[in-house]
Amino acid sequence: MCELLGMSANVPTDICFSFSGLRARGGRTGPHKDGWGMAMYRDTNVWTLHDPSPSADSDIAEVISNTSLKCDIVISHIRQANVGAVCLLNTHPFSRLLWDKTWSYAHNGQLEDANALPITLYHPLGNTDSERAFCWIIEQLQARLGESEPSLDEISTILSELALQLKSRGVFNMMLSDGVRLYCFCTTKLHWITRRAPFKKATLSDEDVIIDFKEVTTDKDVVTVIATQPLTHDETWQQMEEGELCVFEGGEVVCQIKAN
Amino acid sequence: MCELLGMSANVPTDICFSFSGLRARGGRTGPHKDGWGMAMYRDTNVWTLHDPSPSADSDIAEVISNTSLKCDIVISHIRQANVGAVCLLNTHPFSRLLWDKTWSYAHNGQLEDANALPITLYHPLGNTDSERAFCWIIEQLQARLGESEPSLDEISTILSELALQLKSRGVFNMMLSDGVRLYCFCTTKLHWITRRAPFKKATLSDEDVIIDFKEVTTDKDVVTVIATQPLTHDETWQQMEEGELCVFEGGEVVCQIKAN
């Protein structure tokens, strides 16, 4: 299993507090030592970082967790390898072009017989079930929704169908973003919290770190953090349901599709 | 045109001095504002960073140029887009798996009709002539040298032939690495310098920065830096010849093939 971390905010927001908590699980408080990566969007532009080393020991992870890098959307992933060797090209998040945007994606779980998912246009660079499923999703979205970008409802409906198909092959917890919205799908474990005024203090579960969000925000800020497991132990996180798709934009839930 | 920066060293070495010089050319002292990226190898493991923003303004480039990240081999690239939009997936360096290693590559120049280069196994994610040429090189190396890793001489001979073929389509200045060696090919512009004891001071051409290498090295260190244009103005850089392939390992030249 791996761990996922996502963020959606209505103003460029620092992820380093949450990332410090996630990072500790990459070889210290958790077993996810097989690499880590992140995609950070700001004004729909994305930059990425991929490192197949354990995040708990990584020089560059140390730099990132101590640096204020503000962004609108983040997808981060720490890996515990099941399918595919530990190497750069198997390190999430993966990115592909669709509708003139760069889509980034990370997956937690295992999928049976992922190589049976038909793809013809988008090809994996590595050999994980996760990347194969991503290529299939992007290809299906394009095939079913056409060459230009459809509405939120159209994308969400199809994405929910595709995610449920993947869920039938195993465990499919997933984060996907185009730089505007963050699409999250849950099979087993995904939790989220929206922080807004009045902001309070919070304490990381995995590191001896407390932050007072009041000191680093304004009254208008809305910031949602999504993670495999809650990252703080003194806040109330919401647990996503099995088969639920939840879409965030500017820190707010803009679409929710439940399996039943 | 773009600018390339490479390093090969016999001990993990900091690239931040050279990167500061290169970075200034990404939108301030030079016009290469269409993104930048780097691949950093240490003990044959590689991590990568890709950012389609101008390096001169990039938050993460600021962090990297002020941080000591030690590595054995670096390939960095700042882009001035000719072919392919400015986006993450067109941002060098590109990486692919071959002989159980992660190979990284960056290119400077333009190639005519790159889409005519036949590929069947390795597919580009973006739409640059550079990435297409990379996929072709990796596929040709595998097709001509087999499934397991050949000797330095065998790889260099074939790589020189392939690079000369690409040069016949335009300008092909290139850096390629497997984490052990750094292969550099020159069509128009590549310069290199090997620094070893007794180390001296050097001054960047693009930034008001002086470094005394004596203070950051030991007598045994051998560090070669390769760049499109010399990065310092008080050292003597060697200019590579048109059609020359030069291979570095542990900071030393281990193979040189000239066109004539």
Side-chain angles (χ1 to χ4, degrees), chain A residues 2 8 32 45 50 58 73 99 101 115-116 124 132 138 140 145 149 165 175 186 205 208 244 246 260:
Chain A
C2 310
S8 162
H32 318 88
N45 294 315
H50 294 92
S58 158
I73 292 179
W99 301 318
K101 289 175 165 181
N115 284 333
R132 176 93 189 183
I138 292 291
Q140 289 289 318
L145 293 167
E149 191 177 346
Q165 283 187 55
M175 292 184 182
C186 177
S205 308
D208 193 16
E244 179 183 350
C246 200
N260 302 307

Side-chain angles (χ1 to χ4, degrees), chain A residues 120-136:
Chain A
T120 53
L121 293 171
Y122 290 87
H123 302 273
L125 295 190
N127 46 20
T128 61
D129 51 350
S130 304
E131 191 187 12
R132 176 93 189 183
F134 177 46
C135 291
W136 179 77

Side-chain angles (χ1 to χ4, degrees), chain A residues 42 45-53 59-60 63-64 67-70 87-90 95-97 102 104 123 125-127 131, chain B residues 42 45-53 59-60 63-64 67-70 87-90 95-97 102 104 123 125-127 131:
Chain A
R42 178 138 177 205
N45 294 315
V46 60
W47 66 264
T48 58
L49 205 160
H50 294 92
D51 185 357
S53 318
D59 287 355
I60 181 73
V63 171
I64 297 294
T67 305
S68 171
L69 291 168
K70 291 186 190 291
C87 69
L88 183 79
L89 296 172
N90 287 341
S95 299
R96 292 294 184 281
L97 278 173
T102 302
S104 298
H123 302 273
L125 295 190
N127 46 20
E131 191 187 12
Chain B
R42 179 143 177 199
N45 293 316
V46 60
W47 66 265
T48 58
L49 206 160
H50 294 91
D51 185 356
S53 317
D59 287 356
I60 181 73
V63 171
I64 297 294
T67 305
S68 171
L69 292 166
K70 290 185 190 291
C87 69
L88 184 78
L89 297 173
N90 286 341
S95 298
R96 291 296 184 281
L97 279 173
T102 303
S104 298
H123 302 273
L125 296 189
N127 46 22
E131 190 187 12

Side-chain angles (χ1 to χ4, degrees), chain A residues 12-30:
Chain A
T13 299
D14 198 327
I15 191 70
C16 70
F17 173 73
S18 301
F19 181 68
S20 305
L22 182 79
R23 185 191 162 213
R25 298 180 187 171
R28 198 162 69 233
T29 61

